[in-house]
């Protein structure tokens, strides 16, 4: 479920700054260059380590799956009591015929019957600062140590302009660092963040497969009369009702 609140954005022109002469920001540029180099040296190894760890986890999970038996929930021999005796990492497979679930967002007072997961995606109407700069190209003579000279091109007489766009954003934008923070204030609080809601009591019903026979046993071990189809000897066993783990639903 989604509620689209996107509208046409509001655009406001901000200040314009003119800087005469060369566009030299050596102090700030040097610091930014050092930060960028450090980030390039540290971030890629961290990403690589995280990727290898995730790949190893998937490899172990797939290896365990290939070495284990898969329990078929639609098989006529499986009962609800058998499911209670399965170890937590056992793989199961089945096709459900009924879902008993109700996902609720109490803050928004929204409930969706039959939904296993309900996702709330929050957007706030905020200002975004857009900075643009236009410079001229100037030339100057540079003298080398050996006395020779050559002409050098550089940026000069720069005009820096700020624009502000108000639109719906799914993340918060800090307006304290804007050129005009007082005129373009964004909310700093997040009273209703994006969130995932799951049903703690979700149940799936798995019908039994069709097989030959005269009688069947229920989950209590009692013999019960079969339900024949068309007067023959092929019938369905009692269905399996499984409760879903909320943590599994939250993790996708």
């Amino acid at each position: 479920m989604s509620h689209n609140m996107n509208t046409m954005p509001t655009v406001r022109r901000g200040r314009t700054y003119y800087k005469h002469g060369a566009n030299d920001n050596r102090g700030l540029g040097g610091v930014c260059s050092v930060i960028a180099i450090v980030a390039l040296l540290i971030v890629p190894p961290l990403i690589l380590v995280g990727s290898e760890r995730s790949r190893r986890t998937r490899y172990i999970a797939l290896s365990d799956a290939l070495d284990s038996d898969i329990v078929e929930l639609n098989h006529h021999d499986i009962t609800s009591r058998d499911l209670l005796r399965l170890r937590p990492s056992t793989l199961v497979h089945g096709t459900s015929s009924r879902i008993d679930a109700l996902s609720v967002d109490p803050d928004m007072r929204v409930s969706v019957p039959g939904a296993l997961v309900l996702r709330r995606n929050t957007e706030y109407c905020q200002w975004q600062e857009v900075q643009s700069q236009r410079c001229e190209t100037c030339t100057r003579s540079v003298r080398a140590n050996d006395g020779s000279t050559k002409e050098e091109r550089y940026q000069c007489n720069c005009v820096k302009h700020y624009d502000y766009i108000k639109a719906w954003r799914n993340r918060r934008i800090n307006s304290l660092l804007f050129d005009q923070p007082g005129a373009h204030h964004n909310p700093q609080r997040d009273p209703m963040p994006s969130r995932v809601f799951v049903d703690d009591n979700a149940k799936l019903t798995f019908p039994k497969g069709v097989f030959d026979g005269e009688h069947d046993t229920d989950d209590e071990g009692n013999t019960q009369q079969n339900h024949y189809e068309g007067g023959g000897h092929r019938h369905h066993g009692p269905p399996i009702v499984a409760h879903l783990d909320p943590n599994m639903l939250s993790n996708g």
Side-chain angles (χ1 to χ4, degrees):
M1 171 178 288
S2 63
H3 184 59
N4 193 352
M5 299 183 64
N6 293 325
T7 58
M8 292 296 295
T10 301
V11 181
R12 179 185 294 176
R13 298 186 64 86
R15 294 171 176 166
T16 300
Y17 297 92
Y18 175 75
K19 182 179 180 182
H20 181 72
N23 184 30
D24 293 332
N25 294 321
R26 296 177 181 177
L28 181 60
V31 175
C32 294
S33 299
V34 172
I35 295 176
I37 293 175
V38 172
L40 290 176
L41 294 176
I42 295 178
V43 174
L46 295 178
I47 296 177
L48 180 61
V49 170
S51 177
E52 290 298 327
R53 182 176 299 177
S54 177
R55 183 179 303 176
R56 180 177 181 273
T57 302
R58 290 195 299 267
Y59 173 78
I60 294 176
L62 291 176
S63 299
D64 293 341
L66 294 176
D67 295 337
S68 61
D69 296 330
I70 299 178
V71 178
E72 180 60 50
L73 297 179
N74 298 110
H75 196 273
H76 62 84
D77 289 337
I78 299 296
T79 63
S80 298
R81 180 175 296 180
D82 295 331
L83 297 180
L84 297 177
R85 292 194 290 264
L86 298 177
R87 58 189 181 91
S89 59
T90 302
L91 295 178
V92 296
H93 176 268
T95 302
S96 63
S97 61
R98 179 180 176 183
I99 300 177
D100 295 324
L102 178 65
S103 297
V104 180
D105 183 347
D107 299 323
M108 297 295 296
R109 298 181 180 180
V110 175
S111 60
V112 182
L116 298 176
V117 178
L118 177 62
R119 300 181 184 275
R120 180 175 68 197
N121 297 321
T122 306
E123 294 184 352
Y124 294 103
C125 188
Q126 302 176 90
W127 288 103
Q128 180 180 8
E129 184 181 75
V130 180
Q131 177 182 336
S132 60
Q133 181 173 274
R134 184 182 70 257
C135 299
E136 299 178 0
T137 301
C138 300
T139 58
R140 58 190 172 189
S141 297
V142 180
R143 182 179 298 274
N145 294 330
D146 58 0
S148 61
T149 60
K150 70 173 185 177
E151 286 195 351
E152 177 188 63
R153 295 177 177 271
Y154 65 97
Q155 291 184 339
C156 63
N157 304 330
C158 294
V159 178
K160 183 182 295 185
H161 184 71
Y162 291 93
D163 289 315
Y164 296 91
I165 304 175
K166 178 187 283 187
W168 293 96
R169 312 289 182 182
N170 57 3
R171 59 179 180 85
R172 287 183 297 168
I173 300 176
N174 187 5
S175 61
L176 298 179
L177 301 179
F178 286 176
D179 180 65
Q180 294 177 281
H184 307 89
H185 177 71
N186 287 335
Q188 302 301 312
R189 295 175 57 250
D190 192 5
M192 195 170 294
S194 298
R195 185 179 169 186
V196 176
F197 301 90
V198 299
D199 186 4
D200 295 335
N201 299 312
K203 295 185 295 183
L204 298 181
T205 301
F206 297 90
K208 289 294 191 66
V210 180
F211 66 102
D212 297 327
E214 293 289 342
H215 296 84
D216 195 10
T217 56
D218 57 15
D219 294 341
E220 302 297 330
N222 301 320
T223 301
Q224 61 180 14
Q225 187 69 29
N226 294 322
H227 302 282
Y228 294 93
E229 295 183 351
H233 294 281
R234 297 176 62 81
H235 60 87
H236 294 274
I240 291 293
V241 178
H243 295 262
L244 295 181
D245 187 2
N247 295 326
M248 179 187 67
L249 296 176
S250 299
N251 296 330

